[in-house]
Amino acid sequence: MSTLDPGRLEDARDVEAADPDGMLRQVASSAAQIREARRAAAEAGVEALAEDGRPRAIVVTGMGGSGIAGDVLAAVCGLGCPVPITTVRGYRLPGWVGAADLVIAVSCSGSTEETLEVAAEAARRGCRLLCVGGAGSPLAELAARGRALFVPVRSVGQPRSTLWGLTVPLLVAARALRLADVPDEVLESTAVLLEDVAHRCRPDSEPFVNPAKRVALDLAGDVPLVWGTSPLAEAAAYRMCCQLNENAKYPGVYGALPEADHNQVMAFDGFFAGGGSPADPDDFFRDRTEDAEHGLHLVVLRDTDEHPQTAKRREASVEMARARGVAVTEIIAEGAHPLERIATMIALADYVTVYLAITLGVDPTPVTAIQELKARIA
């Protein structure tokens, strides 16, 4: 049974003791992952994908932390991308996928059963195939048999922590196909921004100045409703909820504006609302008093490039939430390029979920229920 203790975040030694498998170190490796994956993609010859021209569509197949790579790819390529990009999370390849399409199979371990099944089906259909995952794995063997490109990725511990190692080869592929403007300079500037987030969120930084610790303390005990304000931020919101689940063993409901204003906004008037109080104008993160009851908590992942009407909806939604006593936290994207913006939102959210786990007395690394489920169906 987990117990809430904000004091666990005060001392770096207590933080490290509560994180025995080093999830914080794994999260802090994001910048290094970008640089290493860029080299691995180049050495694997990913640029050669352009030799066969632009595919009709791109299908990314992956589960869990590996599947998020497809969401990031689609978000960075943006709504103006001339080729549809979709992510398959399951055992079956859509019927419309064929030889004119590029299938990208992503599995950190290289042994994810759903991903292997879809990749094998893609090979049988004659699809162009790119595989990204663990060296010497079943996925690597499948790629060799099908004469597909394979990019080896070194896991930093958990698949969900290896997001950028898995994602950068996909971005390099999109760049080669002229679907995304992600030059090496942007990859490096994104790595630098991630290093800055890591510095601000480091374990020995006190909760008063550490943005991730502060948000974690604010969220503890509340029900998070996580909204993105753009397609980029929507992908980051989904990622945050997945990290709440896996790192903190905690629920989270994700959504995006404007759609959330057509359904999820009604939760402001429901059972979990009213646990908060008006915001403290002197506190950037805190929107309810320390002694407020726990309830619904709106987390807004705010992109700096929003549709004007979406911006209006965000402002109105936040005002309505506060007026109803719903706590509100905003996490604002940093940087100019889409990759920079999504990376900074994801990075801060990743730290938040690990610190929330520690605050709750939960080891952020193990995924016991997932392992038990796998054993039950083996």
Side-chain angles (χ1 to χ4, degrees):
M1 183 75 178
S2 61
T3 58
L4 173 60
D5 181 4
R8 294 190 181 103
L9 298 185
E10 294 288 341
D11 191 293
R13 290 170 295 184
D14 293 337
V15 170
E16 292 176 3
D19 182 24
D21 293 312
M23 180 57 70
L24 283 170
R25 288 194 299 273
Q26 294 178 37
V27 174
S29 72
S30 296
Q33 289 179 45
I34 288 180
R35 295 171 178 133
E36 183 176 334
R38 181 180 64 189
R39 292 192 296 269
E43 291 170 1
V46 169
E47 297 284 344
L49 284 171
E51 294 174 1
D52 293 326
R54 183 177 287 173
R56 179 183 60 174
I58 294 178
V59 177
V60 180
T61 175
M63 305 299 299
S66 300
I68 298 290
D71 299 335
V72 175
L73 173 66
V76 172
C77 288
L79 296 175
C81 182
V83 167
I85 300 173
T86 186
T87 299
V88 171
R89 293 176 166 92
Y91 293 94
R92 293 181 175 177
L93 193 63
W96 57 264
V97 180
D101 305 307
L102 171 63
V103 174
I104 306 178
V106 184
S107 170
C108 189
S109 66
S111 58
T112 308
E113 66 175 25
E114 298 95 331
T115 306
L116 289 171
E117 191 160 326
V118 174
E121 178 62 23
R124 286 193 294 271
R125 294 191 195 179
C127 301
R128 295 161 65 179
L129 185 61
L130 168 64
C131 298
V132 179
S137 66
L139 183 61
E141 295 172 4
L142 187 153
R145 291 196 304 271
R147 298 181 179 178
L149 281 170
F150 178 78
V151 182
V153 173
R154 180 182 61 84
S155 173
V156 300
Q158 294 292 319
R160 62 187 184 275
S161 305
T162 314
L163 172 62
W164 299 109
L166 296 167
T167 301
V168 168
L170 277 60
L171 295 172
V172 172
R175 179 177 71 186
L177 295 168
R178 297 185 179 181
L179 300 177
D181 180 21
V182 190
D184 284 349
E185 292 78 10
V186 167
L187 293 174
E188 178 58 27
S189 64
T190 302
V192 170
L193 281 171
L194 291 178
E195 288 174 331
D196 182 60
V197 174
H199 177 72
R200 282 179 275 149
C201 299
R202 64 192 186 278
D204 63 356
S205 175
E206 296 180 357
F208 179 74
V209 295
N210 185 317
K213 287 184 180 181
R214 190 61 185 170
V215 173
L217 291 172
D218 285 356
L219 282 180
D222 285 355
V223 179
L225 194 62
V226 187
W227 290 359
T229 67
S230 73
L232 273 176
E234 179 181 2
Y238 176 67
R239 161 72 173 193
M240 183 173 185
C241 287
C242 291
Q243 294 290 80
L244 284 167
N245 300 158
E246 292 195 68
N247 287 338
K249 287 67 180 173
Y250 203 80
V253 180
Y254 93 98
L257 293 173
E259 173 64 15
D261 277 349
H262 293 263
N263 36 63
Q264 291 186 14
V265 69
M266 288 306 303
F268 295 174
D269 290 332
F271 180 82
F272 290 101
S277 61
D280 177 357
D282 296 322
D283 193 322
F284 180 80
F285 291 106
R286 193 66 165 174
D287 279 319
R288 58 181 170 83
T289 58
E290 296 293 338
D291 59 351
E293 296 179 0
H294 299 304
L296 193 66
H297 196 128
L298 177 63
V299 181
V300 180
L301 299 191
R302 182 174 163 187
D303 197 357
T304 52
D305 183 10
E306 301 169 327
H307 188 282
Q309 284 299 109
T310 298
K312 289 181 182 179
R313 286 182 174 276
R314 169 180 50 77
E315 293 170 359
S317 298
V318 167
E319 289 173 0
M320 289 172 60
R322 287 173 174 158
R324 287 162 168 78
V326 174
V328 179
T329 294
E330 294 191 43
I331 294 175
I332 304 175
E334 301 173 41
H337 191 277
L339 179 59
E340 296 172 338
R341 304 200 313 269
I342 194 171
T344 52
M345 286 187 285
I346 286 175
L348 181 56
D350 281 358
Y351 278 104
V352 167
T353 62
V354 178
Y355 285 128
L356 177 59
I358 293 170
T359 302
L360 297 173
V362 171
D363 187 341
T365 302
V367 284
T368 306
I370 292 177
Q371 297 303 328
E372 179 183 339
L373 195 147
K374 287 181 178 179
R376 283 172 177 260
I377 65 173

